[in-house]
């Protein structure tokens, strides 16, 4: 694992060295963490017999109860990606625990003072969910934590048996002796907790010794989910709290001109009405907030009725002429001329001039929302010198940071409880809802539970950026690609991002080491900034979802223009050695791993076979955050212009699979999310406001229209990557390519369904006119 400093995950002085030895040292200095330092009350130390009755805490992540139950703390926020199961599996593997006797408990945020004054470090290790990083970050550290617990247990058994340490072994929650004797972990835990921890890293298991890693395990709290016992952020209740809803300014970057709360305060149960500043407010943290007026009441319904009774005059933010139509026009203008060059290999212009054939196309990617099933919200209670936050989060350290800046309470005195989240997809990387709840708790002097409605969420999200992509390629007489230009005009997700200069806004939009870098010798990538007042942010697999659609669709166009088979062209292009990859997911990119998932996807879909009339096959492959995924689909188009997906293949290589069942679920979910977004979703703008209100305007894919996703997981000995985002990027281009193969209609503008309907209607009307 590379050593890296993450000093500003959220803009704070928070440091973490990801190297294993340094990680263990820093947690030791902080008073625990994965060092497995021991704390036992005096009553427990009184006697071994008494100690055996009390759960023994071996460090910060593992507790072993007297009956042998192993309780493992899950440090990562659980937003549906399965880390509450997969991270503890790593610890349990190296412990040699009996997984059937493991209980998992969600840990709160752990931040403690570091060695350098004024800085904080992780108590349990990194605690955030984004970029599919939980698994790769934990692969070394959490296994090492489990190995050290196992070492303590073996040492305790050896002492009891008066044997050498090497004479002991473990299996499924028991320490084994050479003559058939054994102790359960519960019998040894109290003694083990008194032993000194090895100072150095321990040898880890070889893969052939794995008994938990690589096995299919159900989500540890699945029963709680399906029986309604799981607690989400939206479920929190505390006696004496007030429930808040906010009427936010509908104008981009607008403000409150004036408001009248007289009628709102007459609603039974309404207690307070509070104005919140927006981007122009004096609080530094308000840079990403929306101005509005909050109603605080005894319950949610009273607060909503009070909000409806408010009379507010809004001040424009200067974006009144912005609309979806104006953004399309702005992009067209920007793409008509050169832009900021962000990568230049060879001489694109010269190669284009001598090409035997030129292929050109323009693609459109709209604004889309995250729309998690559980909208944002947070509970905040501020006491004299401490505070508590309970919420569905992706960036709990960021929640503590924003709360500290508003309340003045030190971050180490802010308790952050992470509930299971009803979806995240990048939305909860932003902690605007925590900031709002903290501002309201501070202003009201009461514990506050802030609620967002679905309409709030769709109108005030941090949206996936809008953009148009102009693609140009040159092909020689043999059908080889000799020149490639990708010019993107988009509204960068780094909108209002502190400390990002204008010349670096492109870095969130184009990843210069992505395909075809290193394969096409004459390559130019350009970016132009689209001006928009919309708030933007990270949407599941950020730029990969847009760029994979464009690049893999365009590659299909090149194949047809060159008279080459789309699968054969990809297999030829991906037949290259690995090379350095400087973007997230590096340090290397292996085209041959991408080639193999592409080949398997083609094999599984039956590429090249004779198809029924009206059906077509499409394929796409992409490298995302360290993982390699390909989709292949068999599609037809009905007379009304509706695509019918008859088969959907997803092949993925994310290194060693920790939990194949969880990985399969992520690929299925990502595929459906990618198809749903590609087919029907767009956030539309009118008069500087979001015009899309609720799910009737934002039609998610229905179950009846969703395909069965056949997932194939590549066996691999490579270190694991994450899996939360790898199933999304190639779903859209594989679908679009299959639609072209089935119908001859090339779709370049998302959402695809209305484009396809218009094309089918025009074709039908044209045929009728000719008749």
């Amino acid at each position: 694992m590379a050593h890296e400093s993450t000093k500003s995950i959220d803009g704070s002085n928070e440091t973490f060295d990801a190297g294993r030895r340094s990680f263990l040292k820093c947690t030791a200095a902080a008073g625990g963490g994965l060092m497995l330092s021991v704390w036992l009350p005096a009553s427990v130390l009184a006697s071994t017999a008494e100690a055996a009755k009390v759960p023994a805490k071996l460090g910060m992540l593992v507790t072993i109860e007297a009956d042998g139950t192993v309780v493992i703390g899950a440090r990562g926020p659980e937003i549906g990606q399965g880390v509450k199961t997969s991270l503890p599996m790593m610890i349990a593997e190296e412990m040699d625990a009996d997984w059937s006797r493991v209980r998992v408990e969600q840990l709160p945020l752990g931040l403690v003072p570091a060695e350098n004054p004024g800085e904080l470090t992780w108590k349990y290790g990194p605690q955030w969910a984004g970029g599919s990083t939980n698994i790769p970050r934990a692969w070394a550290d959490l296994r090492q934590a489990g190995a050290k617990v196992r070492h303590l247990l073996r040492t305790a058994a050896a002492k009891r048996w008066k044997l050498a340490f090497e004479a002991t072994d473990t299996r499924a929650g028991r320490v084994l002796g050479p003559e058939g004797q054994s102790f359960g972990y519960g019998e040894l835990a109290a003694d083990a907790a008194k032993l000194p921890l090895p100072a150095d890293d321990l040898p880890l298991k070889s893969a052939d010794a794995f008994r938990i890693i690589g096995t299919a395990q159900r989500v540890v709290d699945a029963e709680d989910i399906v029986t309604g016992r799981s607690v989400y952020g939206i479920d929190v209740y505390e006696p004496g709290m007030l429930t808040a809803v906010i009427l936010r300014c509908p104008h981009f970057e607008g403000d409150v001109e004036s408001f009248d709360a007289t009628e709102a305060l007459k609603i039974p149960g309404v207690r307070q009405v509070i104005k919140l500043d927006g981007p122009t407010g004096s609080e530094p943290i308000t840079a990403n907030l929306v101005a509005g007026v909050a109603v605080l009441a005894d319950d949610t319904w009273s607060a909503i009725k009070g909000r409806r009774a408010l009379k507010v005059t809004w001040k424009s933010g200067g974006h009144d002429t912005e609309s979806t139509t104006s953004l399309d026009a702005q992009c067209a203008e920007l793409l008509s001329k050169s832009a900021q060059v962000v990568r230049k290999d060879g001489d694109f212009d010269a190669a284009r001039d001598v090409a035997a054939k030129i292929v050109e196309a323009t693609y459109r990617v709209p604004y889309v929302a995250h729309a998690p099933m559980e909208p944002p919200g947070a509970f905040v209670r501020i006491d004299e010198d401490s505070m508590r936050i309970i919420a569905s989060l992706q960036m709990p350290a960021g929640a503590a940071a924003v709360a500290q800046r508003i309340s003045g309470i030190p971050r180490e005195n802010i308790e952050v409880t992470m509930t299971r989240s009803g979806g995240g997809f990048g939305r909860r990387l932003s902690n605007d809802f925590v900031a709002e709840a903290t501002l309201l708790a501070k202003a009201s002097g009461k514990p506050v539970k802030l609620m967002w409605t679905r309409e709030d969420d769709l109108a005030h999200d941090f949206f996936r950026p809008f953009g148009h992509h102009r693609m140009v390629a040159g092909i020689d007489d043999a059908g080889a690609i000799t020149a490639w230009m990708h010019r993107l005009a988009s509204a960068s997700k780094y909108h209002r991002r502190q400390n990002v200069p204008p010349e670096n806004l492109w870095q969130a939009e184009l990843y210069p080491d992505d395909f075809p870098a290193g394969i096409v010798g004459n390559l130019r990538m350009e970016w132009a900034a689209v001006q928009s007042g919309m708030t933007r942010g990270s949407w599941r697999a950020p730029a990969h979802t847009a760029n994979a659609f464009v690049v893999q669709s365009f590659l299909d166009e090149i194949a047809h223009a060159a008279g080459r088979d789309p699968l054969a062209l990809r297999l030829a292009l991906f037949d290259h050695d690995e090379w350095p990859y400087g973007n997230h997911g590096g340090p290397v990119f292996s085209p041959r791993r991408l080639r193999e998932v592409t080949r398997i996807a083609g094999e599984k879909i039956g590429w090249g076979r004779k198809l029924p009339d009206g059906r077509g096959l499409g394929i796409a492959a992409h490298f995302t955050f360290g993982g390699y995924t390909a989709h292949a689909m068999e599609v037809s188009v009905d007379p009304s212009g509706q695509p019918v997906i008859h088969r959907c293949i997803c092949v993925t290589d994310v290194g060693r699979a920790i939990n194949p069942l969880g990985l399969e679920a992520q690929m299925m979910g990502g595929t459906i999310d990618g198809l749903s977004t590609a087919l029907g979703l767009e956030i539309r703008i009118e008069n500087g406001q979001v015009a899309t209100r609720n799910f009737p305007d934002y039609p998610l894919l229905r179950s009846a229209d969703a395909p069965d996703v056949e997932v194939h997981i590549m066996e691999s000995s490579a270190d694991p990557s994450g899996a939360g985002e790898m199933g999304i990027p190639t779903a859209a281009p594989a679908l679009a390519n299959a639609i072209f193969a089935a119908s001859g209609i090339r779709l370049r503008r998302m959402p695809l369904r209305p484009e396809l309907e218009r094309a089918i209607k025009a074709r039908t009307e044209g045929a009728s006119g000719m008749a």
Side-chain angles (χ1 to χ4, degrees):
M1 179 180 288
H3 292 258
E4 61 181 0
S5 175
T6 314
K7 186 168 183 180
S8 58
I9 289 176
D10 48 46
S12 64
N13 288 325
E14 182 175 319
T15 61
F16 174 65
D17 186 332
R20 286 178 288 175
R21 187 179 304 275
S22 299
F23 171 66
L24 295 172
K25 287 180 179 177
C26 79
T27 50
L34 298 184
M35 284 298 291
L36 308 176
S37 57
V38 177
W39 173 86
L40 287 173
S43 61
V44 175
L45 295 173
S47 70
T48 301
E50 286 299 312
K53 299 177 183 178
V54 179
K57 188 175 180 62
L58 278 70
M60 304 306 297
L61 296 175
V62 176
T63 299
I64 300 179
E65 298 180 347
D67 67 356
T69 299
V70 175
V71 182
I72 299 178
R75 73 187 187 191
E78 178 56 76
I79 59 173
Q81 82 281 43
V83 295
K84 190 176 180 180
T85 302
S86 54
L87 296 187
M89 285 176 68
M90 298 185 200
I91 298 173
E93 178 64 74
E94 294 294 340
M95 279 184 63
D96 238 351
D98 179 350
W99 184 251
S100 69
R101 303 198 67 192
V102 170
R103 186 172 76 247
V104 177
E105 296 181 355
Q106 182 69 54
L107 292 169
L109 174 66
L111 293 175
V112 291
E115 292 179 344
N116 295 330
E119 294 184 357
L120 298 175
T121 190
W122 302 105
K123 184 177 182 179
Y124 309 115
Q127 290 184 278
W128 55 287
S132 299
T133 55
N134 264 289
I135 294 294
R137 282 184 179 274
W139 178 238
D141 296 325
L142 291 190
R143 287 192 300 144
Q144 191 61 228
K148 294 197 173 189
V149 171
R150 179 172 177 258
H151 181 93
L152 295 179
L153 293 163
R154 289 180 66 191
T155 302
K159 285 179 176 292
R160 286 200 193 177
W161 288 325
K162 295 181 173 54
L163 294 172
F165 175 86
E166 292 75 17
T168 67
D169 200 353
T170 58
R171 188 175 183 91
R174 301 192 70 83
V175 179
L176 310 178
E179 298 179 1
Q181 68 268 52
S182 70
F183 284 120
Y185 283 0
E187 300 173 86
L188 297 167
D191 286 350
K194 302 173 188 177
L195 297 172
L197 186 77
D200 296 326
D201 285 353
L202 297 176
L204 299 174
K205 285 184 178 183
S206 60
D208 59 5
F210 288 163
R211 300 187 181 97
I212 297 174
I213 289 175
T215 63
Q217 302 294 339
R218 297 187 183 280
V219 172
V220 293
D221 53 353
E223 183 176 343
D224 289 344
I225 295 171
V226 299
T227 58
R229 291 197 299 267
S230 278
V231 176
Y232 296 83
I234 203 170
D235 297 322
V236 175
Y237 173 79
E238 181 177 286
M241 75 177 191
L242 295 177
T243 300
V245 296
I246 302 172
L247 183 62
R248 295 172 182 84
C249 182
H251 303 282
F252 300 158
E253 300 182 346
D255 209 340
V256 178
E257 180 77 39
S258 63
F259 72 95
D260 182 352
T262 304
E263 296 303 315
L265 289 168
K266 292 178 182 179
I267 301 294
V270 172
R271 302 301 176 188
Q272 299 185 43
V273 175
I274 298 171
K275 176 179 176 292
L276 291 177
D277 291 329
T280 59
S282 58
E283 295 267 10
I285 196 59
T286 61
N288 283 315
L289 295 185
V290 176
V293 180
V295 176
L296 287 70
D298 294 336
D299 56 77
T300 306
W301 182 231
S302 297
I304 289 174
K305 289 194 291 184
R307 182 170 71 172
R308 290 174 178 172
L310 287 172
K311 297 177 181 178
V312 183
T313 300
W314 303 110
K315 182 188 300 183
S316 170
H319 299 277
D320 293 349
T321 61
E322 182 172 337
S323 66
T324 300
T325 301
S326 73
L327 289 174
D328 282 327
Q330 187 182 162
C331 285
E333 171 63 23
L334 290 169
L335 291 184
S336 69
K337 53 193 175 185
S338 298
Q340 179 184 359
V341 177
V342 301
R343 178 161 185 151
K344 183 178 184 295
D345 297 344
D347 191 333
F348 165 78
D349 291 326
R352 178 194 56 196
D353 290 343
V354 299
K357 183 177 289 187
I358 302 296
V359 183
E360 299 181 83
T362 299
Y363 297 84
R364 176 188 187 268
V365 177
Y367 277 127
V368 295
H370 298 86
M373 192 55 62
E374 177 193 8
F379 169 85
V380 172
R381 185 186 69 235
I382 302 176
D383 299 316
E384 184 176 350
D385 56 1
S386 65
M387 66 180 294
R388 188 179 190 196
I389 300 168
I390 307 175
S392 298
L393 301 166
Q394 287 186 246
M395 192 69 76
V402 70
Q404 186 276 327
R405 288 198 289 271
I406 293 171
S407 68
I409 293 172
R411 292 176 76 195
E412 54 266 37
N413 293 347
I414 300 175
E415 179 185 353
V416 180
T417 298
M418 295 173 280
T419 64
R420 172 174 276 276
S421 295
F425 317 122
R427 173 61 182 93
R428 301 182 203 276
L429 290 172
S430 300
N431 281 294
D432 53 313
F433 49 94
V434 176
E436 291 175 335
T438 305
L439 288 165
L440 294 175
K442 180 180 179 181
S444 68
K446 296 283 188 179
V448 169
K449 176 183 177 181
L450 173 66
M451 299 283 286
W452 283 48
T453 65
R454 177 64 57 203
E455 291 85 354
D456 296 335
D457 184 32
L458 285 185
H460 301 289
D461 197 357
F462 288 79
F463 302 92
R464 185 185 72 181
F466 181 102
H468 286 202
H469 302 246
R470 175 165 171 73
M471 309 296 292
V472 180
I475 307 171
D476 66 16
D477 290 327
I481 304 172
T482 58
W484 184 292
M485 192 271 285
H486 186 165
R487 180 180 297 158
L488 167 61
S490 69
S492 173
K493 83 167 187 178
Y494 285 163
H495 175 62
R496 296 209 305 250
R497 182 74 62 92
Q498 295 180 2
N499 303 320
V500 178
E503 63 271 19
N504 290 342
L505 292 175
W506 67 270
Q507 293 175 355
E509 308 303 299
L510 285 173
Y511 303 142
D513 290 345
D514 275 2
F515 174 87
I519 293 177
V520 177
N522 300 295
L523 169 68
R524 190 164 72 217
M525 301 174 74
E526 302 177 6
W527 182 77
V530 170
Q531 302 304 311
S532 173
M534 283 276 273
T535 48
R536 285 95 74 182
S538 295
W539 190 95
R540 203 173 180 185
H544 287 295
T545 59
N547 298 342
F549 166 66
V550 171
V551 170
Q552 289 295 308
S553 294
F554 188 55
L555 195 57
D556 220 59
E557 296 205 51
I558 292 171
H560 288 285
R564 300 182 64 178
D565 177 80
L567 174 58
L569 176 59
R570 286 172 171 83
L571 295 180
L573 288 170
F574 298 158
D575 192 14
H576 279 262
D577 294 331
E578 68 180 26
W579 61 73
Y581 185 85
N583 304 120
H584 175 43
V588 297
F589 163 55
S590 171
R592 287 201 173 96
R593 288 176 70 181
L594 191 62
R595 184 183 191 276
E596 188 62 6
V597 296
T598 307
R599 184 187 69 80
I600 296 296
E603 176 185 291
K604 296 298 182 182
I605 200 72
W607 193 274
R609 63 186 163 89
K610 181 174 175 55
L611 297 170
D613 290 344
R615 294 194 186 187
L617 300 180
I619 197 163
H622 193 67
F623 174 65
T624 307
F625 297 161
Y628 303 80
T629 302
H631 277 93
M633 298 186 196
E634 181 176 343
V635 172
S636 64
V637 179
D638 73 16
S640 67
Q642 299 304 309
V644 179
I645 303 173
H646 301 280
R647 288 189 69 201
C648 178
I649 304 292
C650 176
V651 182
T652 191
D653 175 0
V654 293
R656 188 176 301 282
I658 306 301
N659 180 7
L661 187 62
L663 175 54
E664 180 185 39
Q666 287 303 300
M667 293 303 113
M668 288 180 174
T671 300
I672 297 301
D673 196 4
L675 292 173
S676 177
T677 303
L679 281 168
L681 302 187
E682 177 177 17
I683 295 293
R684 296 195 61 82
I685 302 169
E686 296 176 6
N687 302 318
Q689 303 179 38
V690 171
T692 307
R693 301 301 182 190
N694 207 319
F695 284 141
D697 309 321
Y698 200 67
L700 301 178
L701 189 66
R702 300 297 181 95
S703 295
D705 299 323
D708 290 331
V709 183
E710 304 171 37
V711 178
H712 300 272
I713 299 170
M714 301 289 291
E715 290 190 12
S716 176
S717 60
D719 286 353
S721 70
E725 293 155 294
M726 287 61 171
I728 297 178
T730 50
L735 173 62
N737 293 339
I739 288 172
F740 174 79
S743 67
I745 298 172
R746 177 64 66 183
L747 300 176
R748 302 187 182 97
R749 297 169 61 88
M750 289 201 284
L752 302 179
R753 180 178 282 120
E755 288 294 303
L756 182 57
E757 289 172 350
R758 282 190 286 269
I760 291 293
K761 181 180 179 182
R763 175 183 288 179
T764 302
E765 291 175 349
S768 299
M770 291 179 64

